Amino acid sequence: MLTWPVRLEEQRPDGVTIVLRALTRTDRDRWQQLRLDNEEWLRPWEATLPTGPEGPVSFAKLRRLLDRAARDGHVLPFVIEADGLLVGQMHLFDIVWGSRWTGSAGYWLDRHATGRGLVTWALAMLIDHAIHDVGLHRVEVGIRPENTASLAVAHRLELPDEGFRAGQVHVAGAWRDHIEFAITADQLAGDRLVERLRLRETTSG
């Protein structure tokens, strides 16, 4: 079941250590600088509200809101660390229990940290944790057709493609189409995506 806070850590075959953990008070300066530096680069891909932008939320309030939602079982709000440096965030949100036991993954990464496979590993870690440790049955990832980098992540993890979703999420001021990827506990069949990645990278290296 879901517990919070939790820390996930994996070392890749190339020696890079990736950590998923909770946002802390000491992250404030680094997190705020990352958001400022990446504002224009991330704007085309970030979810928005149909009613218009809300007022700014302080870092302290954001952290409290995320921690409360995590303790209530609605979200897993991780930051991504690579070799000890915060480089982005990886969330499992819209967690639904009842008869569904499902959640949706979303993420962002510092543009200077792209091209290193960090999101691929972080998403694999999140999905493994959600299914094997939390006990969810299904994890979904909605990706805009224009987002070729994120599509490549889904393909590298061999996530099943469930097809086109018209106007699925409000992003950058308008309703945007997405391609839905999802994987279930049955499809994983006891495997871990991280170990599949590790084996592939070890044998190809």
Side-chain angles (χ1 to χ4, degrees):
M1 299 299 290
L2 193 154
T3 58
W4 189 259
V6 64
R7 176 187 173 94
L8 311 177
E9 180 174 335
E10 294 288 346
Q11 187 176 60
R12 302 194 312 192
D14 64 0
V16 174
T17 298
I18 299 176
V19 171
L20 299 184
R21 59 166 178 80
L23 192 66
T24 67
R25 291 186 181 90
T26 58
D27 292 322
R28 184 185 62 182
D29 291 345
R30 171 69 179 173
W31 186 89
Q32 289 178 332
Q33 192 61 53
L34 279 179
R35 294 299 304 178
L36 181 63
D37 292 345
N38 289 278
E39 184 176 5
E40 292 299 322
W41 189 70
L42 293 173
R43 182 175 288 119
W45 314 111
E46 294 205 312
T48 49
L49 295 176
T51 52
E54 293 184 320
V57 176
S58 70
F59 175 84
K61 182 176 181 180
L62 173 66
R63 195 177 63 82
R64 288 195 301 270
L65 290 172
L66 290 176
D67 280 345
R68 185 179 304 119
R71 290 194 299 270
D72 290 342
H74 303 310
V75 64
L76 284 170
F78 292 111
V79 298
I80 306 170
E81 269 189 3
D83 286 338
L85 184 66
L86 195 157
V87 293
Q89 290 184 275
M90 172 71 65
H91 290 179
L92 187 73
F93 60 95
D94 288 348
I95 297 175
V96 180
W97 298 99
S99 60
R100 291 183 57 189
W101 288 44
T102 187
S104 298
Y107 46 84
W108 64 267
L109 194 71
D110 175 24
R111 58 182 171 179
H112 300 298
T114 60
R116 299 169 53 194
L118 300 178
V119 164
T120 302
W121 274 79
L123 181 57
M125 292 165 64
L126 178 75
I127 291 173
D128 285 346
H129 177 67
I131 289 179
H132 292 294
D133 304 325
V134 176
L136 292 182
H137 173 68
R138 171 183 169 93
V139 176
E140 303 171 349
V141 187
I143 300 172
R144 288 180 59 187
E146 305 89 346
N147 194 341
T148 55
S150 281
L151 290 175
V153 169
H155 293 314
R156 280 195 293 271
L157 292 178
E158 299 179 342
L159 301 180
D161 182 342
E162 295 191 338
F164 181 81
R165 302 289 188 270
Q168 186 180 34
V169 183
H170 199 270
V171 177
W175 292 105
R176 309 290 183 175
D177 303 333
H178 283 67
I179 298 173
E180 187 78 5
F181 297 85
I183 191 164
T184 68
D186 296 335
Q187 289 166 330
L188 270 182
D191 288 346
R192 287 185 175 265
L193 292 179
V194 163
E195 294 311 316
R196 293 182 186 178
L197 277 178
R198 193 185 312 281
L199 178 62
R200 191 183 311 152
E201 294 187 9
T202 301
T203 56
S204 66

